[in-house]
Structures are given as C-alpha cells and as structure tokens.
Amino acid sequence: MSIQSVVYRISPPFFRKRIKQTYYAGRRFFTERIIEPTEVIVGLRDKLTPPRSKIFVGDGDFKAIGETFRQYFIDFCQLQPDHAVLDVGCGIGRMAVPLTSYLSADGSYEGFDPVADGIHWCQQHITPRFPNFQFRQVNLFNGFYNPAGQDQAITYRFPYNDDQFDTVVVVGVFTHMTINEISTYLGEIKRVLKPGGRCLTSFFLLDNESRRLMVEPGSAFNFQYPFEGRWAFDPHNPNTGSAHDETELLRVMATHGLPIQRPIRYGSWSGRQPATSFLDIIILEKP
C-alpha cells in the first residue's frame, strides 16, 4: 500500500474530501496546462481540434467524423462554398471545423448549442481565425446535456431570420428529443431555410429490419423501453439516446411540408449492412 493510500485511510472524513479535491484539481491543471498544449506543439493535435478532455459529442475520431459529414453535406445537400449554413446543436465544433476549409469568405456558418463550454471553445479558437463562423450558447433544457436549462425545446424559436440559410445540419440532436420536440424543430428548420434549401438530419430509425436486428449481439443499442412517443435503451434517462418510429417520423415531416429526398441512408447502429454512417440519415428539402 502506498504512502498516499495510508494517509488517505487514516485521515478524518473532512480531510479525505480535501485530499480528493486537491488531487483532481491538480490532475486537471496538469492535463489542461501541460499535456494538452504539448499535444499541439509536438503535432499530435492541430489548433482547431479540441483536447480530449473537452470533447463531449459522441465517440470516434473527432476530425475524421467531421470530414466525413462535410462530404455528406456536399453530396446529399448540394452544399456550395458560398452557402449560409446553420448547425443545430453544434457542440464543440465537430461539424464546423471541417467546413472552415470549404466555405469561402462569401459563405457563412452559424451554430448554436446549450453546452456553454463547447460554445466558448469554438468562440475562442474558431471565430478569431474565421470571422464568418459564429457560435451562440442557448439556455435550452436537455436532460442529458443541459439539465439546468430554462427554455424548452417544444416551444423554442431559433434565433435566426426567415429564409436565412441554404443548408441546415442536425447531427446527433434528434436522438435526444421527443417526437413533439422534433416537430417544433422541423417547423423552425423550414422557417429558416431558403426555398430550395436542404437539411441533413440524423436519427435512430425503427423499422422492421432495425427492430429485428437491435436485439442481436451486433447491435450497439436495444431501444426496448417506450417513453413519450419514442423508445429508449436506458429506462431511467431516455435523453441518453432515443429511437423513433420511421413511419411516424415521416408523417410529422410531411405535416411541416418538408419532403424527404430518397433514399433514406440507413446507419450501422443496429448492425444493418450496408450502411452509410452510424446513424440513419434523412435529407429534407424546403419546396
């Protein structure tokens, strides 16, 4: 047993708490002030890739996933360098960073998210280098990402003008929302899109095939718990991840006058093959 362990065990509870606080504060200081800056200096991480300690959006390679989706925006949404882009739930810039090398000075990017740390990082590291990239923190409630938020998604109005954007992207956002909240967002997406503009959305879609596959060992999730018109894999916190019935979702999209661009590009989350991405992708177009 180490000396540190002995000291911890024989210390009174108050000092144990202080020892823990000091330890974790010291580890955080060492990580943020020494390890993470060194990664940039020695070339292990570029200045537009956030350090691992700050990344809170999904798994996988931050840079590679962003670059893959940039190509989806170009191929599926006909994104052009001079387009105006809105990133709904922009996180810590995973979709924004690869667009900095694609959008021209005539193009623009707006992103909003309820997680203040992610927005602050983007404002400090992306906007100074690319002034046409703007980020906004919004006080939206989310049981997983922002449980202290005051505004509700079901009544939220995007802080942008009508017909402002050529392209809207919503990656990994609807997988944390109810069908009624998604309906509100779809109405806002239609409002802010220019006529002819396109929107890339991603979901966990439930159809006959994904329902059959998701109970097998090859599936990443088994959405078996019904909750407010969606299905969850965690019965205690459905906001961790939610799947939606494909037929019902398409019906809601149709009520907002947002026709989908076939085909639906199914993902691999349930073990389905072939797959375009991990999540299922639906492209919408404003007539």
Side-chain angles (χ1 to χ4, degrees), residues 267-285:
S268 63
W269 66 268
S270 65
R272 188 194 314 243
Q273 293 297 333
T276 298
S277 184
F278 180 69
L279 294 171
D280 305 307
I281 295 174
I282 296 178
I283 307 299
L284 307 170
E285 183 172 357

Side-chain angles (χ1 to χ4, degrees), residues 44 46 49 55 57-69 94-95:
L44 296 177
D46 63 68
T49 300
I55 296 175
V57 286
D59 299 320
D61 187 298
F62 180 92
K63 191 171 183 179
I65 291 173
E67 291 175 348
T68 297
F69 270 88
R94 185 166 61 171
M95 300 297 120

Side-chain angles (χ1 to χ4, degrees), residues 37 40 54 56 66 71 79 84 89-90 112 120 124 165 238 241 243 271 283 285-287:
V40 175
K54 293 187 179 298
F56 58 89
Q71 197 59 48
L79 178 66
C90 62
F112 72 87
H120 293 161
Q124 293 169 3
F165 299 100
I283 307 299
E285 183 172 357
K286 180 175 177 175

Side-chain angles (χ1 to χ4, degrees), residues 172-185:
V173 174
F174 290 154
T175 54
H176 304 284
M177 298 174 67
T178 69
I179 191 68
N180 290 332
E181 292 169 337
I182 291 173
S183 179
T184 296
Y185 271 42

Side-chain angles (χ1 to χ4, degrees), residues 66-87 95-96 98-104 106-110 133 165-169 193-194 196-200 283:
E67 291 175 348
T68 297
F69 270 88
R70 175 185 60 192
Q71 197 59 48
Y72 293 160
F73 303 153
I74 295 169
D75 293 343
F76 304 157
C77 296
Q78 302 175 351
L79 178 66
Q80 300 298 314
D82 62 348
H83 276 182
V85 177
L86 173 62
D87 188 356
M95 300 297 120
L99 289 174
T100 60
S101 61
Y102 181 76
L103 293 181
S104 68
D106 295 325
S108 65
Y109 170 100
E110 295 276 353
F133 279 67
F165 299 100
D166 300 281
T167 305
V168 175
V169 300
L193 268 176
K194 296 178 181 178
R198 290 192 174 190
C199 173
L200 182 146
I283 307 299

Side-chain angles (χ1 to χ4, degrees), residues 8 20 34 68 81 90 108 117 152 168 171 177 208 232 243 254-255 260 262 272 287:
Y8 182 79
K20 272 189 173 181
I34 298 176
T68 297
C90 62
S108 65
D117 285 348
Q152 298 297 317
V168 175
V171 179
M177 298 174 67
N208 290 337
T255 63
I260 72 167
R262 298 282 184 177
R272 188 194 314 243

